[in-house]
Amino acid sequence: MYPADSMSSEERRAASSLAAVFAFRMLGLFMVLPVLATYGQDLEGATPLLIGMAIGAYGITQAFLQIPFGMLSDRIGRKPVIIGGLLLFALGGLVAAQADSVVGVIAGRVLQGAGAIAAAIMALVADLTRDQHRTKAMAMIGMSIGLSFAVAMVAGPLIAGAAGLAGVFYTTAVLALVGIALIGLVVPTPTQAFHHRDAGVTRGAFLPALSNPDLLRLNYGIAVLHALLMACFVAIPLALQEQAGLPRESHWWVYLTALLLSFVGMVPLIIYAERQRKIKRVVLGAILLLAAVQPMMWLSTASLAWLVTAIVLFFVAFNVLEATLPSLLSKIAPAGSKGTAMGIYSTSQFAGAALGGVLGGAVYGSFGLSGVFVCCGLLAVSWFAIGATMAEPPYVTSYRLAVDPTLVRDEALLRRILDVPGVAEAIIVAEETAAYIKVDTQVLDREQLDRVLHPV
């Protein structure tokens, strides 16, 4: 029996290997961003609009398939869905690598996006970890995504410089195959797959989540954030190459510098937001920085030093928002509905990525680099106007806790849970013999809660 405050060796193996699978897949998606706008111009039929579509095309299929694949994994098992998704991702990489036209690359990117396995991976994490360690496992996956983005921004230009755009896509296919090997050889197989309301979509929670104004505000925000990212990666590589005079093979050092400095800048802001309970202030400040940095990029395209400074500030704002928005969602989503809210949130994110690529390409084709930056600035301003109406969120943490089976049908149990100091929300799911609760950890009486759930 392992102590409650430490993960078992199997839990650590499951969390670390699934984080690696997630990282390899996201690395494959992100590596293309810093190189498609410049190397894509060599493809047959390349136009700004089609290059923008190639950048964001993966988001179309991701948005449509994210939730269905997660629900499918409840029926046929997690591993078959994850392996199938990684095979689709590898096939998409091969299609794009062998394409000599921009349309072929778009087709490959669409196929890559069809490997929508995020929900299935999260569900598998929930199957393989105990309730008290699930947050740690999810945090490991979150950190792996951030690391993969940073590595991709550097690796993409380096690989493209050595092996061309095709080399980048071949690398994505190899990474997918490594992910399949990890799933088959390293990731434990759960004895039974469970539906976890905090890790998967629950049909009954779907419409309430779609009609919740606080969640809708967040969904709009994550869609805009990833639309800005894709649109900016239509413009930033071109600004570095054509305006600032930096060869495309050398772009890697700009992204490395920007990401390292941005991580240093974002950490104090995230700590301040959580410890001082000022998350609304930090989020709105980061949105304002996103808006302010767009004209700065436009006006500094002829100066490499100023352009790099603008890119650093862009990544500070982006990374702060990428880290704090999921935390905000966790605080706002009703108890037992976090998985559903996160599924809709992820769908919005990928839809925004698809829209941003198309928008960036279309605007660049009609109005040039300045038009892209102006458009991105207006998008950020619209987000600020909507975000400014949000209230300061409740500073609560979500838990799924086992309930004594003899008490799960006790109608008075819910009231006793809600009477515990620090418990803000709670629901009891009898078929899971579990309670989903949201608590203020600074106020919670843990001993009283334990006595309520498991009386002697």
Side-chain angles (χ1 to χ4, degrees):
M1 186 71 177
Y2 292 92
D5 60 347
S6 64
M7 299 178 79
S8 71
S9 58
E10 183 172 275
E11 286 175 319
R12 287 193 294 271
R13 179 159 62 98
S16 58
S17 56
L18 285 171
V21 171
F22 217 119
F24 286 143
R25 179 175 168 278
M26 300 311 291
L27 182 59
L29 283 174
F30 291 145
M31 273 199 304
V32 179
L33 293 186
V35 298
L36 252 178
T38 50
Y39 287 83
Q41 294 177 348
D42 301 331
L43 295 167
E44 179 185 337
T47 65
L49 175 59
L50 291 178
I51 289 175
M53 288 180 65
I55 289 174
Y58 78 95
I60 298 170
T61 39
Q62 285 269 16
F64 279 108
L65 296 176
Q66 192 73 21
I67 291 176
F69 274 19
M71 298 175 77
L72 180 64
S73 76
D74 288 336
R75 291 179 172 270
I76 68 171
R78 316 297 187 202
K79 285 193 172 184
V81 170
I82 295 171
I83 290 172
L86 289 170
L87 284 172
L88 284 173
F89 188 83
L91 179 61
L94 293 176
V95 168
Q98 296 178 25
D100 55 9
S101 70
V102 69
V103 173
V105 170
I106 291 172
R109 290 285 277 172
V110 169
L111 260 179
Q112 284 187 317
I117 58 172
I121 288 180
M122 294 301 184
L124 184 54
V125 170
D127 291 338
L128 293 171
T129 55
R130 289 168 290 170
D131 295 331
Q132 64 266 38
H133 299 308
R134 195 154 300 133
T135 300
K136 300 176 193 174
M138 297 297 187
M140 290 173 67
I141 289 178
M143 288 187 289
S144 76
I145 295 172
L147 180 61
S148 68
F149 182 78
V151 173
M153 291 298 101
V154 178
L158 287 174
I159 294 172
L165 188 59
V168 176
F169 283 115
Y170 278 125
T171 303
T172 68
V174 171
L175 289 171
L177 296 178
V178 173
I180 292 173
L182 286 172
I183 292 294
L185 301 175
V186 181
V187 176
T189 300
T191 54
Q192 187 176 356
F194 298 96
H195 179 75
H196 301 267
R197 287 170 171 256
D198 278 353
V201 173
T202 303
R203 287 184 175 88
F206 197 79
L207 287 178
L210 280 176
S211 58
N212 185 311
D214 294 324
L215 293 176
L216 287 174
R217 196 181 287 113
L218 271 181
N219 295 335
Y220 180 77
I222 194 62
V224 168
L225 182 63
H226 281 260
L228 288 173
L229 180 68
M230 297 301 145
C232 282
F233 270 103
V234 172
I236 288 174
L238 294 173
L240 287 170
Q241 177 177 281
E242 297 176 2
Q243 304 293 325
L246 186 67
R248 60 189 184 182
E249 296 83 4
S250 301
H251 288 190
W252 66 268
W253 72 258
V254 172
Y255 301 123
L256 178 61
T257 302
L259 285 163
L260 288 176
L261 292 177
S262 70
F263 282 133
V264 171
M266 68 175 268
V267 170
L269 293 173
I270 293 173
I271 293 173
Y272 170 78
E274 292 291 346
R275 289 188 179 175
Q276 301 299 318
R277 301 195 165 191
K278 300 291 185 182
I279 195 169
K280 177 181 177 181
R281 179 180 300 180
V282 170
V283 166
L284 292 179
I287 297 171
L288 272 181
L289 181 57
L290 272 183
V293 82
Q294 301 302 323
M296 183 177 177
M297 285 197 281
W298 169 25
L299 297 172
S300 64
T301 51
S303 168
L304 182 58
W306 280 107
L307 184 56
V308 171
T309 301
I311 294 170
V312 169
L313 293 174
F314 173 82
F315 277 118
V316 168
F318 177 85
N319 288 329
V320 166
L321 292 164
E322 188 78 350
T324 53
L325 291 185
S327 174
L328 196 53
L329 180 141
S330 182
K331 290 173 172 56
I332 291 172
S337 298
K338 187 170 73 172
T340 304
M342 185 58 75
I344 297 170
Y345 173 92
S346 297
T347 298
S348 303
Q349 170 184 323
F350 294 124
L355 176 63
V358 173
L359 185 64
V363 172
Y364 173 65
S366 299
F367 303 102
L369 292 177
S370 59
V372 176
F373 294 129
V374 169
C375 181
C376 288
L378 292 174
L379 266 179
V381 168
S382 75
W383 181 11
F384 180 83
I386 291 173
T389 63
M390 74 174 178
E392 193 71 44
Y395 285 86
V396 292
T397 303
S398 299
Y399 291 109
R400 178 187 183 274
L401 300 175
V403 176
D404 188 319
T406 62
L407 297 175
V408 74
R409 303 286 180 183
D410 185 348
E411 295 181 359
L413 178 61
L414 180 60
R415 172 48 52 198
R416 292 199 297 272
I417 293 173
L418 291 171
D419 285 342
V420 175
V423 175
E425 295 180 46
I427 67 165
I428 298 171
V429 183
E431 56 269 26
E432 297 182 29
T433 60
Y436 290 86
I437 67 172
K438 301 183 75 171
V439 303
D440 184 336
T441 56
Q442 294 185 5
V443 180
L444 178 66
D445 186 331
R446 295 176 184 272
E447 292 183 358
Q448 183 178 339
L449 179 60
D450 189 58
R451 288 195 301 269
V452 168
L453 295 174
H454 302 283
V456 178

